[in-house]
Amino acid sequence: MSTMICVGIESTAEKLGVGVVTDDGEILANVKAQYVPPPGSGILPREAAEHHSRELPELLERALKNAGVEPEDIDLVAYSQGPGLGPCLRVGATAARTLALALEVPLAPVNHCVAHVEIGKLAARQDGLDFDDPVTLYVSGGNTQVLALKAGRYRVFGETLDLPVGNMLDTFSRKVGLPHPGGPEIERLAEKGEPVELPYTVRGTDVSFSGLLTAALRRYKQGDRLEDVCAGLQETAFAMLVEITERAAAQLGRDEILLTGGVAANRRLSEMIHEMAESRGAEAYTVPQELAGDNGAMIAWTGILVHEHGLSIPPDEIPEKAIVKQRYRVDEASVPWAAHPSRSADSQR
Ligand code: AMP
Ligand code: MG
């Protein structure tokens, strides 16, 4: 049986990624480049897009070289269709469609949030866990969502009402003069601190971080040690996230919990999620960092699922159908493979 090879391009925000994955779920390459905003600034979408178009040719070449794949071996091209920053999304989509047209292969549009969950399930299975139908806490620079499958779609069972948690951490660190990205800096400082008390805001199944951010900045300006404020910021924000994840798991009666997104690299958050899972008799899995942050392999792998379920775009329809969706909601994405968990597990042998 011949192996299908997919090249996936991720370009929703500050990271650009190219992954090469087979239909057996083997990751042949997964390379990245990151746009770094000017000091004191957040992501400038147009500058990030320029960075991506500059870096993409070399990154693509490196991905194929690492994978040991020639262009003619590629059977499918996938791209991140959204949600994300318009200028950044368009760079990835344009490159993907040009590549697919040149190679005369189909093009698979992928929902970025679905891809985070699918690569997480694949990684969990490859680590020997039987993860079919998890509740996922997806925490990154641009997203904070609790996702689970219900009635054939991934749906949002909790989310942030204002800032994504990664953005909140990055904003705090920028305002206190720490380098970007702030999450790892805050983690490092928090390990040496005693948490200060900060406002905890959970509303039903959702969280809100702006009050926490403001209060943390105020405590720092009033003279609290940065280490202590960082510790308080982490403990409070993560406890809120754990609470809404636990609520979704309880409501849905699920016993698998997946932690993913760039913020999943945080050891304290991972520990708190595992403790919560253990207390409920559930199993938790933290997706390894190279697959948890935005990456091309997750787009390539989900592209394979999209294609296997008849949802890719044939070459002659690419020019009119290869669009981007800046506000692509996760429950708009058709995920027929996930609606039959046992079947997709079979297809991964
Ligand atoms: P992503 O958007 O998925 O690429 O993830 C990027 C986000 O993850 C940024 O907001 C980072 O600050 C955050 N991040 C990365 N490492 C850590 C960490 N160890 N602790 C907390 N946040 C982190
Ligand atoms: Mg992401």
Side-chain angles (χ1 to χ4, degrees):
M1 198 162 59
S2 75
T3 302
M4 169 165 242
I5 293 179
C6 179
V7 171
I9 300 176
E10 159 59 35
S11 71
T12 51
E14 63 189 17
K15 290 208 188 66
L16 175 70
V18 180
V20 184
V21 177
T22 72
D23 57 351
D24 301 327
E26 193 185 344
I27 297 167
L28 303 176
N30 193 23
V31 295
K32 291 171 207 184
Q34 179 162 0
Y35 157 77
V36 180
S41 157
I43 300 176
L44 305 174
R46 219 159 295 276
E47 268 198 12
E50 277 167 27
H51 163 270
H52 294 352
S53 39
R54 215 166 34 239
E55 296 291 325
L56 195 46
E58 193 272 331
L59 209 58
L60 191 56
E61 207 175 295
R62 185 142 50 92
L64 296 187
K65 185 160 167 269
N66 289 2
V69 159
E70 299 294 331
E72 57 272 21
D73 301 331
I74 299 169
D75 303 294
L76 178 68
V77 177
Y79 72 104
S80 203
Q81 190 170 31
L85 305 171
C88 298
L89 286 170
R90 283 190 286 275
V91 170
T94 304
R97 90 190 224 165
T98 306
L99 186 61
L101 283 170
L103 298 171
E104 294 177 65
V105 299
L107 181 65
V110 169
N111 177 289
H112 177 87
C113 306
V114 168
H116 272 293
V117 177
E118 293 304 337
I119 199 74
K121 284 157 62 181
L122 177 70
R125 289 192 198 116
Q126 290 181 342
D127 272 348
L129 296 174
D130 190 19
F131 264 44
D132 269 344
D133 198 7
V135 167
T136 300
L137 174 60
Y138 163 36
V139 276
S140 71
N143 294 275
T144 295
Q145 298 180 326
V146 178
L147 301 167
L149 194 70
K150 194 170 181 196
R153 300 264 166 147
Y154 288 113
R155 295 176 199 274
V156 178
F157 287 90
E159 63 191 322
T160 178
L161 298 170
D162 43 41
L163 301 172
V165 65
N167 184 317
M168 186 274 288
L169 296 172
D170 294 342
T171 305
F172 175 82
S173 62
R174 186 168 72 240
K175 296 207 165 160
V176 301
L178 295 169
H180 183 87
E185 301 291 327
I186 291 171
E187 174 169 32
R188 191 173 51 76
L189 290 164
E191 278 163 11
K192 293 179 280 187
E194 278 302 317
V196 298
E197 203 175 309
L198 292 168
Y200 181 101
T201 318
V202 171
R203 294 189 209 284
T205 57
D206 298 326
V207 291
S208 157
F209 289 117
S210 58
L212 173 59
L213 173 62
T214 309
L217 286 168
R218 191 182 319 119
R219 291 293 294 257
Y220 176 62
K221 281 191 196 121
Q222 286 169 352
D224 279 289
R225 290 173 61 222
L226 186 54
E227 289 85 345
D228 298 342
V229 180
C230 287
L233 194 58
Q234 284 204 158
E235 290 304 307
T236 311
F238 297 167
M240 287 158 52
L241 294 169
V242 169
E243 181 183 330
I244 62 166
T245 308
E246 178 165 27
R247 184 161 304 154
Q251 272 172 9
L252 295 163
R254 306 279 162 87
D255 60 2
E256 297 161 358
I257 294 168
L258 194 66
L259 173 61
T260 194
V263 183
N266 189 288
R267 288 181 297 273
R268 180 65 186 133
L269 175 59
S270 179
E271 181 180 82
M272 288 166 75
I273 285 284
H274 276 80
E275 278 167 9
M276 177 271 282
E278 202 171 311
S279 76
R280 319 183 27 86
E283 188 139 38
Y285 181 74
T286 302
V287 178
Q289 203 174 342
E290 68 279 13
L291 296 177
D294 290 349
N295 67 89
M298 73 183 194
I299 303 302
W301 169 240
T302 311
I304 285 173
L305 299 174
V306 163
H307 177 72
E308 282 179 344
H309 288 78
L311 297 171
S312 60
I313 307 169
D316 57 331
E317 293 172 23
I318 289 174
E320 69 271 27
K321 289 200 179 158
I323 54 161
V324 302
K325 301 179 183 174
Q326 287 186 62
R327 291 192 184 73
Y328 193 3
R329 284 155 39 113
V330 71
D331 57 9
E332 288 170 48
S334 184
V335 292
W337 59 86
H340 308 279
S342 56
R343 217 169 59 198
S344 81
D346 285 351
S347 74
Q348 283 154 43
R349 282 169 284 275

